Amino acid sequence: SLLTFLCAIYSLKTIPNPGKPKALLSLMMLLEVGMIGAFISLDLLLFFIFFEVVLVPMFFMIAIWGGPNRSYASIKFFLYTLFGSAFMLLSFLAIYFRAEEPTFDILLLSQNTDWFSRDFQMIAFLGMFVGFAIKVPMWPLHTWLPDAHTEAPTIGSVLLAGILLKMGTYGFVRIAMPILPEGAKAYAPYIGILAVIAIIYGALCCLAQREIKRMIAFSSVGHMGFVMLGIATMTETGINAALFGNIAHGVVTGMLFFIVGSLKERYHTGDIAEIGGGVLAKTPYLGALLTYVAIASLGLPGLAGFWGEMFALLAAWSPAEGLHRGLFYGLAVGGAIGTVLTAGYFLWLLQRVNLGVVPERWRNERFSDVMGVELTAWAPLLVLILALGLYPRFIFGITDIAVKGLLHGMGMGADAGGAGAGH
């Protein structure tokens, strides 16, 4: 709700070609209906409907207001997500017909997991995994994301990164794990392996990017890898870290896309080499905000990006009983390497974009610095980045009780303390 409202404020400044503000904002409102509906549904069929509702407005936002390759990006986004949703729906229907009391009620199904044999859970969880993993997106099902982000208008990128990706991780925690606990335990090591591959792969791809929005898009692959690593540990600390990471990523990466969108409007390009550096000299406030949000995204202690990643790595070092500790030790090390690479590509971005002298081609151009409308739209996110970093209990205090209930329902013992209580 907050991000949608801030996107509406940001839209007061500019509407990308071809204009049509009523159509764009109407699609954004429809997108909000789908997003909120998915997060409050306690019925599998209703969840599926809202899960699909978000596809239509996002498709048109990219296809009409997007960049030069918008047709390709929008169709790829639509087809990927629709493909995953088909498997997810098959799993939902299988659960309905296999249950002793046929129902789509998420709470009732979570309380009666003994209705489903282990073999059935393995198959049904796999179907859900495909649907949710594409939405996250997990490697190797991520390829739609960089194209969609690169071509989407600024507000489309903010909502896509800030909210839509979280519908996938939410699906794992709210639906797949409590209803199919045996399947979740069986697939947890594989989820962890794919998560760490995504962390390292995403960071390496970021180091190779020449376009800012595309680089931020690949960074989302890595950040969501930390979220999935936390979920894969099946521990209180890990799942709390995943939920915190969800929110922190929405705030930080949403803010990054706002800033990068404003940079592209001023320079009329997102190419790092064409911008050529000197942003701090040309637009000092905008450059300072880019630095602030970038170091939050790389996980600097005291800012929002730190806690989710740190506790995910701690949880990987001490996974739930029954999971292979040697494997998760390796995953923790791989994730730690990913944090170093993440710092590397963000610092490299700041060095290439912010620092240095203003290139000759931009010296006579007159760029406005941060405008009033922009600051109004960004201020809540800038404050949240610092507030969540300094006071993580604001999130952990809310999620900890729910996570304990989730693990108790799955028959998993809570780890010592948990992120919300023990740290």
Side-chain angles (χ1 to χ4, degrees), residues 363-378:
R363 285 181 187 171
N364 296 324
E365 296 282 344
R366 298 190 63 183
F367 294 152
S368 58
D369 210 332
V370 177
M371 300 163 66
V373 172
E374 290 174 325
L375 189 59
T376 303
W378 299 349

mmCIF file of all heavy atoms in Angstrom, residues 363-378:
data_model
loop_
_atom_site.group_PDB
_atom_site.id
_atom_site.type_symbol
_atom_site.label_atom_id
_atom_site.label_comp_id
_atom_site.label_asym_id
_atom_site.label_seq_id
_atom_site.Cartn_x
_atom_site.Cartn_y
_atom_site.Cartn_z
ATOM 1 N N ARG A 363 28.652 18.760 -19.468
ATOM 2 C CA ARG A 363 29.022 19.952 -18.696
ATOM 3 C C ARG A 363 28.099 21.126 -18.950
ATOM 4 O O ARG A 363 27.827 21.921 -18.053
ATOM 5 C CB ARG A 363 30.473 20.350 -19.008
ATOM 6 C CG ARG A 363 31.470 19.420 -18.333
ATOM 7 C CD ARG A 363 32.897 19.802 -18.591
ATOM 8 N NE ARG A 363 33.802 18.786 -18.062
ATOM 9 C CZ ARG A 363 35.095 18.739 -18.279
ATOM 10 N NH1 ARG A 363 35.671 19.682 -19.036
ATOM 11 N NH2 ARG A 363 35.829 17.777 -17.755
ATOM 12 N N ASN A 364 27.612 21.250 -20.167
ATOM 13 C CA ASN A 364 26.732 22.385 -20.486
ATOM 14 C C ASN A 364 25.256 22.044 -20.355
ATOM 15 O O ASN A 364 24.405 22.897 -20.607
ATOM 16 C CB ASN A 364 27.027 22.879 -21.907
ATOM 17 C CG ASN A 364 28.437 23.415 -22.023
ATOM 18 O OD1 ASN A 364 28.951 24.029 -21.086
ATOM 19 N ND2 ASN A 364 29.082 23.179 -23.172
ATOM 20 N N GLU A 365 24.961 20.777 -19.995
ATOM 21 C CA GLU A 365 23.569 20.379 -19.775
ATOM 22 C C GLU A 365 23.116 20.855 -18.389
ATOM 23 O O GLU A 365 23.885 20.812 -17.420
ATOM 24 C CB GLU A 365 23.429 18.855 -19.852
ATOM 25 C CG GLU A 365 23.749 18.265 -21.210
ATOM 26 C CD GLU A 365 22.612 18.454 -22.194
ATOM 27 O OE1 GLU A 365 21.484 18.769 -21.755
ATOM 28 O OE2 GLU A 365 22.856 18.299 -23.402
ATOM 29 N N ARG A 366 21.874 21.300 -18.305
ATOM 30 C CA ARG A 366 21.342 21.765 -17.021
ATOM 31 C C ARG A 366 20.400 20.699 -16.459
ATOM 32 O O ARG A 366 19.317 20.480 -16.989
ATOM 33 C CB ARG A 366 20.601 23.096 -17.187
ATOM 34 C CG ARG A 366 21.494 24.217 -17.683
ATOM 35 C CD ARG A 366 20.801 25.557 -17.613
ATOM 36 N NE ARG A 366 20.486 25.922 -16.237
ATOM 37 C CZ ARG A 366 19.817 27.037 -15.903
ATOM 38 N NH1 ARG A 366 19.399 27.868 -16.855
ATOM 39 N NH2 ARG A 366 19.568 27.307 -14.650
ATOM 40 N N PHE A 367 20.853 20.031 -15.417
ATOM 41 C CA PHE A 367 20.058 18.993 -14.765
ATOM 42 C C PHE A 367 19.537 19.524 -13.433
ATOM 43 O O PHE A 367 20.304 20.123 -12.660
ATOM 44 C CB PHE A 367 20.900 17.736 -14.487
ATOM 45 C CG PHE A 367 21.374 17.026 -15.718
ATOM 46 C CD1 PHE A 367 22.539 16.283 -15.697
ATOM 47 C CD2 PHE A 367 20.662 17.083 -16.902
ATOM 48 C CE1 PHE A 367 22.993 15.610 -16.819
ATOM 49 C CE2 PHE A 367 21.100 16.421 -18.034
ATOM 50 C CZ PHE A 367 22.259 15.694 -17.996
ATOM 51 N N SER A 368 18.270 19.283 -13.180
ATOM 52 C CA SER A 368 17.735 19.623 -11.858
ATOM 53 C C SER A 368 18.182 18.552 -10.869
ATOM 54 O O SER A 368 18.301 17.380 -11.218
ATOM 55 C CB SER A 368 16.209 19.695 -11.899
ATOM 56 O OG SER A 368 15.669 18.467 -12.340
ATOM 57 N N ASP A 369 18.437 18.985 -9.639
ATOM 58 C CA ASP A 369 18.770 18.024 -8.594
ATOM 59 C C ASP A 369 17.461 17.437 -8.062
ATOM 60 O O ASP A 369 16.425 17.526 -8.726
ATOM 61 C CB ASP A 369 19.584 18.711 -7.492
ATOM 62 C CG ASP A 369 20.559 17.753 -6.804
ATOM 63 O OD1 ASP A 369 20.271 16.546 -6.771
ATOM 64 O OD2 ASP A 369 21.587 18.213 -6.300
ATOM 65 N N VAL A 370 17.477 16.847 -6.899
ATOM 66 C CA VAL A 370 16.268 16.203 -6.364
ATOM 67 C C VAL A 370 15.140 17.230 -6.275
ATOM 68 O O VAL A 370 15.296 18.298 -5.675
ATOM 69 C CB VAL A 370 16.542 15.605 -4.973
ATOM 70 C CG1 VAL A 370 15.263 14.998 -4.404
ATOM 71 C CG2 VAL A 370 17.625 14.541 -5.060
ATOM 72 N N MET A 371 14.001 16.915 -6.882
ATOM 73 C CA MET A 371 12.852 17.819 -6.914
ATOM 74 C C MET A 371 11.941 17.540 -5.724
ATOM 75 O O MET A 371 12.001 16.475 -5.103
ATOM 76 C CB MET A 371 12.089 17.639 -8.231
ATOM 77 C CG MET A 371 12.949 17.940 -9.459
ATOM 78 S SD MET A 371 12.263 17.291 -11.000
ATOM 79 C CE MET A 371 10.783 18.272 -11.144
ATOM 80 N N GLY A 372 11.066 18.498 -5.438
ATOM 81 C CA GLY A 372 10.178 18.381 -4.284
ATOM 82 C C GLY A 372 9.274 17.165 -4.350
ATOM 83 O O GLY A 372 9.071 16.465 -3.349
ATOM 84 N N VAL A 373 8.730 16.896 -5.543
ATOM 85 C CA VAL A 373 7.847 15.739 -5.696
ATOM 86 C C VAL A 373 8.623 14.447 -5.463
ATOM 87 O O VAL A 373 8.133 13.513 -4.814
ATOM 88 C CB VAL A 373 7.204 15.741 -7.105
ATOM 89 C CG1 VAL A 373 6.445 14.446 -7.346
ATOM 90 C CG2 VAL A 373 6.291 16.932 -7.274
ATOM 91 N N GLU A 374 9.842 14.399 -5.969
ATOM 92 C CA GLU A 374 10.670 13.213 -5.776
ATOM 93 C C GLU A 374 10.966 13.002 -4.294
ATOM 94 O O GLU A 374 10.838 11.886 -3.776
ATOM 95 C CB GLU A 374 11.984 13.365 -6.553
ATOM 96 C CG GLU A 374 11.810 13.297 -8.064
ATOM 97 C CD GLU A 374 13.087 13.594 -8.809
ATOM 98 O OE1 GLU A 374 13.873 14.439 -8.327
ATOM 99 O OE2 GLU A 374 13.316 12.991 -9.881
ATOM 100 N N LEU A 375 11.365 14.058 -3.619
ATOM 101 C CA LEU A 375 11.698 13.934 -2.201
ATOM 102 C C LEU A 375 10.492 13.506 -1.387
ATOM 103 O O LEU A 375 10.606 12.693 -0.462
ATOM 104 C CB LEU A 375 12.248 15.267 -1.678
ATOM 105 C CG LEU A 375 12.839 15.227 -0.264
ATOM 106 C CD1 LEU A 375 13.986 14.224 -0.195
ATOM 107 C CD2 LEU A 375 13.309 16.611 0.154
ATOM 108 N N THR A 376 9.315 14.013 -1.734
ATOM 109 C CA THR A 376 8.086 13.613 -1.033
ATOM 110 C C THR A 376 7.822 12.121 -1.211
ATOM 111 O O THR A 376 7.453 11.419 -0.261
ATOM 112 C CB THR A 376 6.881 14.420 -1.559
ATOM 113 O OG1 THR A 376 7.149 15.814 -1.408
ATOM 114 C CG2 THR A 376 5.613 14.058 -0.805
ATOM 115 N N ALA A 377 8.019 11.628 -2.444
ATOM 116 C CA ALA A 377 7.772 10.209 -2.725
ATOM 117 C C ALA A 377 8.824 9.319 -2.078
ATOM 118 O O ALA A 377 8.537 8.180 -1.700
ATOM 119 C CB ALA A 377 7.743 9.979 -4.236
ATOM 120 N N TRP A 378 10.037 9.834 -1.929
ATOM 121 C CA TRP A 378 11.140 8.996 -1.456
ATOM 122 C C TRP A 378 11.327 9.029 0.051
ATOM 123 O O TRP A 378 11.890 8.087 0.619
ATOM 124 C CB TRP A 378 12.450 9.437 -2.109
ATOM 125 C CG TRP A 378 12.466 9.318 -3.595
ATOM 126 C CD1 TRP A 378 11.547 8.677 -4.390
ATOM 127 C CD2 TRP A 378 13.442 9.866 -4.492
ATOM 128 N NE1 TRP A 378 11.888 8.787 -5.709
ATOM 129 C CE2 TRP A 378 13.046 9.512 -5.816
ATOM 130 C CE3 TRP A 378 14.599 10.611 -4.316
ATOM 131 C CZ2 TRP A 378 13.780 9.887 -6.934
ATOM 132 C CZ3 TRP A 378 15.337 10.983 -5.436
ATOM 133 C CH2 TRP A 378 14.934 10.620 -6.733
#
